[in-house]
Amino acid sequence: MASDRKSPPASSGSPHRAPEWADGLKQLYDSVVEEDLPDSFKDLIARLDEIDPRRGGGQNGGGSPTPDGRGARA
């Protein structure tokens, strides 16, 4: 119930400051965003880009092969 939640205590005139853990979380997020994609993921994207969009019509329900070549499964 949202009505059971207490509002945060009123500050004593000091500006709102993020919790101590927020800086660490932001640094972790930024480091993950800046990481390069793994080569295996880049290879997968390249393989998917090579697939002819006319080949399968965008759906794998009709028995057309999936990107890994195994075909759709029922």
Side-chain angles (χ1 to χ4, degrees):
M1 296 178 147
S3 62
D4 291 341
R5 294 183 183 171
K6 295 181 182 179
S7 59
S11 63
S12 58
S14 62
H16 178 70
R17 175 144 164 61
E20 292 178 22
W21 53 264
D23 290 334
L25 184 60
K26 172 110 173 71
Q27 288 176 355
L28 176 63
Y29 175 82
D30 289 341
S31 70
V32 170
V33 168
E34 292 173 5
E35 284 183 18
D36 286 337
L37 289 175
D39 289 338
S40 59
F41 194 74
K42 290 178 184 178
D43 293 343
L44 175 61
I45 291 172
R47 285 178 38 210
L48 292 172
D49 284 342
E50 292 172 0
I51 294 175
D52 184 358
R54 294 170 289 173
R55 186 173 94 182
Q59 296 179 351
N60 288 327
S64 60
T66 57
D68 63 2
R70 291 186 287 176
R73 295 183 181 190

